[in-house]
Amino acid sequence: MSLPRSPFLCRRTGLPFNALVLAVALANPALAHAASFTITGTSTTAQNLGKGDTGTVAAGGALTVGGSAVAVAVTGDKATVNNLGTIAQTGSGRAIRASGAVTEFVINNGSVTNAAALIRTADADVIQMNGAASSVILNNHGSMVSLNASAGGAQAVDFNAVTGANTINNFAGGLLLASEADAVRPGEGGVLFNAGTIRSVTAVGASSDGIDGQDRSGIRVTNAATGLVDAGRHGITFEQKNANTASTLDLTNLAGGIVRGNDGSGINVDGFNGRQLVTIVNGGLISGNGVTGDGDGVDVDGLVHITNSGVIRSLNAVEAGGLAFSEGISAGGGTIFNSGTIEGLVAAGNTGAVGRGITLAGNDITNGPLAGTREGLYGNATIVNAAGGMIRGQGDSAIAVTGAASGYTVAIDNRAGATIRGGGAASAAIRTNSDNATITNAGTIDGGSSGRAIAFGAGNDTLVISGGNAIVLGSVDGGGGTDTLVVDAGAGNTFGYAGAITGFTTVELRSGTLALEGADVVAAGSALVLGGGTLDLASAASQAFASLALADSSAIVLGDTVLTFQGLGAVAAGETLALTHDGAGYTLRFLGDYAGNAAFAQLMGVTTIDSLAVTYSFDGTYTNVSAVPEPASVAMLFAGLGILAAAGRRKKAAA
């Protein structure tokens, strides 16, 4: 080959510079072939794109490369690959790979009118970005398939190394598929829009996830109405890098969208603490299914912010050597707002698992004396179950707060038209641990299967019954600590209850009517605070309280029930207590002699029974309170006594 003359020589070699460039090019074929290309027929030559180059495979065209070569290697910024035909790597190489910090790289596979475009590899990633500072956009309308013959972990899309901007658009009709590997690995801060199908499959139980963020934070996924993420293991997963690193994941799953783990969770996020936050807005279906292990709908080892109007479901779980929990949601704290369905189910015939709607707890403890238990919450936890919402456990609690005491608080707000339903023969529909918890119920809490609606733990807990539609089926246990039951049904509304209320320090009636049915529905150790409204005991055989306090004008309907108080609390000035009574004799009684007690005298002064003033007397054990007879009744009594006396005298005279 003859070389043109050059007046410029290399001092080191003595060769002209253009000869040196050619020598380098010949030694590096990748550099030698960096250029734009267009393939309309069939080609078996590996291609290379440099800065600003565009590679095009036309409809009907095919680039097929074997061996270990990359079918399309990218070495320069602002390169573009347009595939309307087929790019296939039939050996062990990747179909497309960008080396180094390649920026503004764009891959277009197929188009709105061409979903037949295909990029496929036999045993490697379909696309890989290898530079941290890279930036890339993938637009897929066709199919990108990793066959992964050796099951060596070859993704359809691998942007894991990228810490710059990376965007994946899988449009309607698009397919991102990997066998025995994750289908998609976005990079740090990756943005993924899916209106097509992202699928990973496994025949050997590999960790084949649909979308695996690895330890990359800031990933944002939108799954559209036609979007399907269908995974051999977890639908979407990522992990917190370490305990000191904050990490986030955002998912929006629109109505009609599906995120499904076929032997794992719908969403699985491993972490350490409250530095991890997962935000989910779900209008579609998120489901997990444990065939060989856990299969939670959403399993987050940190904090969550979940808004659900669709379905979040666990179908099954398996635990070798122990009881498995199939959980709709498991999280370390945060907020859950539900107007859809959250449920934990168990497959037919699986006797080694129970379904639970929501678990709030930290990570499992695997070592030390607490092994087998769970860490406490990583942050305050709030659950709002709005109208139409269903939180359900099949075989276990609908909501369970477990793990060690954390010092954080739990708030559960079950609104009118919403249902929290437990399952099984033993577990309460809602149960909490030693953290302070507040439950507000205006809907239905159904513990009918076990007879237990609420079981508080050792914290200082509060149950508020609100509105006129509240229903509680099953017992209510305040547990340890200082616990308060508040009935605030509202004027004209009645909360009727026929179960058992135990373990509450105080029962406070603020408004509406609390109607108790049965004998001693409220355990005798609870203090009664009347702060407005009516206590209806007409269907109660008997009832006792630790004490009575009057905070606002109130009423008690007794029927023929005997109401007993062990003591007397504060009586607010200017408030009244009105009782109605169907029986005879005393209507209520106080343990001990209250003659001379100023608070008692104040209470008696503002108390009426059937609109009559009251009187009281001490029988040696109780101070009994009864109505003062009306004057007419007294006159009739004396008249009756006179008639009896006269009749007696006549009988004596006749004798």
Side-chain angles (χ1 to χ4, degrees):
M1 178 181 295
S2 62
L3 299 175
R5 294 181 174 230
S6 172
F8 303 102
L9 301 178
C10 175
R11 292 183 180 178
R12 182 179 176 188
T13 64
L15 293 173
F17 277 113
N18 52 3
L20 179 61
V21 171
L22 179 59
V24 172
L26 291 173
N28 192 333
L31 291 177
H33 296 100
S36 296
F37 66 87
T38 298
I39 298 173
T40 57
T42 300
S43 173
T44 58
T45 303
Q47 303 292 325
N48 183 279
L49 297 178
K51 183 176 181 180
D53 290 339
T54 298
T56 300
V57 178
L63 171 61
T64 303
V65 177
S68 60
V70 176
V72 179
V74 180
T75 56
D77 298 338
K78 299 183 179 180
T80 301
V81 173
N82 295 316
N83 178 51
L84 296 174
T86 299
I87 299 176
Q89 218 297 348
T90 60
S92 59
R94 297 175 176 89
I96 300 173
R97 186 173 193 256
S99 299
V102 173
T103 62
E104 299 182 60
F105 178 34
V106 177
I107 308 106
N108 298 309
N109 185 47
S111 67
V112 174
T113 59
N114 183 356
L118 172 65
I119 306 177
R120 184 180 60 221
T121 55
D123 205 10
D125 303 323
V126 176
I127 297 178
Q128 186 199 52
M129 299 294 295
N130 196 38
S134 298
S135 60
V136 58
I137 297 175
L138 167 63
N139 297 311
N140 182 53
H141 294 271
S143 297
M144 303 177 68
V145 179
S146 169
L147 298 175
N148 195 18
S150 65
Q155 287 76 50
V157 178
D158 184 2
F159 292 170
N160 186 58
V162 179
T163 59
N166 64 102
T167 299
I168 300 168
N169 294 312
N170 190 44
F171 295 106
L175 172 65
L176 303 176
L177 171 64
S179 176
E180 310 297 345
D182 306 326
V184 177
R185 289 186 177 179
E188 190 86 12
V191 176
L192 194 161
F193 171 81
N194 179 51
T197 298
I198 297 175
R199 175 172 284 133
S200 63
V201 296
T202 177
V204 298
S207 56
S208 300
D209 303 317
I211 301 169
D212 187 352
Q214 298 284 285
D215 61 1
R216 302 306 191 185
S217 177
I219 295 171
R220 291 168 291 165
V221 178
T222 299
N223 197 46
T226 56
L228 170 62
V229 180
D230 186 51
R233 190 176 66 165
H234 305 310
I236 300 174
T237 185
F238 96 113
E239 62 186 27
Q240 189 176 0
K241 185 173 293 186
N242 55 58
N244 297 318
T245 301
S247 60
T248 63
L249 169 69
D250 287 7
L251 167 65
T252 298
N253 187 42
L254 299 178
I258 298 174
V259 178
R260 181 167 57 215
N262 289 301
D263 191 8
S265 299
I267 312 295
N268 181 81
V269 180
D270 296 325
F272 303 95
N273 49 40
R275 291 179 176 271
Q276 182 185 75
L277 175 63
V278 175
T279 300
I280 299 172
V281 177
N282 179 53
L285 170 65
I286 299 174
S287 71
N289 184 30
V291 178
T292 60
D294 283 342
D296 300 335
V298 174
D299 182 356
V300 176
D301 293 343
L303 303 180
V304 297
H305 183 75
I306 297 175
T307 302
N308 178 56
S309 58
V311 176
I312 299 177
R313 173 183 293 144
S314 174
L315 294 169
N316 195 45
V318 175
E319 178 72 27
L323 182 66
F325 293 94
S326 179
E327 297 156 320
I329 296 175
S330 177
T335 62
I336 299 172
F337 185 94
N338 178 57
S339 59
T341 298
I342 300 171
E343 60 185 359
L345 308 178
V346 175
N350 183 1
T351 60
V354 292
R356 182 184 291 170
I358 298 174
T359 297
L360 296 175
N363 282 318
D364 293 328
I365 299 174
T366 57
N367 299 307
L370 297 178
T373 63
R374 297 184 71 166
E375 295 178 349
L377 295 173
Y378 301 137
N380 294 334
T382 299
I383 298 174
V384 177
N385 195 33
M390 167 67 77
I391 302 174
R392 175 185 173 222
Q394 182 187 18
D396 196 68
S397 300
I399 301 173
V401 186
T402 66
S406 67
Y408 292 107
T409 60
V410 176
I412 300 171
D413 182 2
N414 190 46
R415 297 182 177 175
T419 300
I420 296 174
R421 177 170 295 144
S427 298
I430 302 174
R431 63 184 177 93
T432 67
N433 64 352
S434 297
D435 290 321
N436 296 342
T438 298
I439 298 174
T440 301
N441 180 48
T444 298
I445 298 176
D446 184 356
S449 68
S450 64
R452 304 175 68 199
I454 299 170
F456 285 111
N460 298 327
D461 305 311
T462 300
L463 171 61
V464 179
I465 303 297
S466 177
N469 298 303
I471 297 173
V472 176
L473 303 176
S475 65
V476 178
D477 183 0
T482 302
D483 306 307
T484 302
L485 168 61
V486 176
V487 177
D488 195 6
N493 296 324
T494 297
F495 172 65
Y497 183 72
I501 298 172
T502 60
F504 285 88
T505 308
T506 303
V507 174
E508 179 180 354
L509 177 59
R510 292 181 182 172
S511 68
T513 297
L514 170 60
L516 302 179
E517 182 178 347
D520 299 314
V521 174
V522 180
S526 298
L528 176 64
V529 177
L530 294 176
T534 299
L535 175 63
D536 186 349
L537 299 176
S539 298
S542 61
Q543 183 59 58
F545 291 96
S547 63
L548 169 65
L550 183 65
D552 201 349
S553 295
S554 304
I556 299 177
V557 178
L558 284 168
D560 59 359
T561 302
V562 174
L563 178 58
T564 302
F565 296 99
Q566 307 297 319
L568 179 64
V571 178
E575 308 303 333
T576 62
L577 177 61
L579 294 90
T580 58
H581 181 50
D582 293 339
Y586 64 83
T587 57
L588 70 160
R589 61 186 183 176
F590 292 81
L591 181 64
D593 186 358
Y594 277 81
N597 184 297
F600 184 78
Q602 179 186 351
L603 177 64
M604 294 299 97
V606 298
T607 299
T608 60
I609 299 176
D610 297 328
S611 300
L612 301 176
V614 299
T615 185
Y616 57 89
S617 62
F618 180 60
D619 66 5
T621 303
Y622 294 99
T623 298
N624 301 307
V625 180
S626 58
V628 174
E630 293 181 284
S633 299
V634 174
M636 291 178 63
L637 174 62
F638 282 117
L641 291 174
I643 292 170
L644 290 173
R649 285 193 298 271
R650 285 195 298 270
K651 288 181 180 180
K652 185 175 181 180

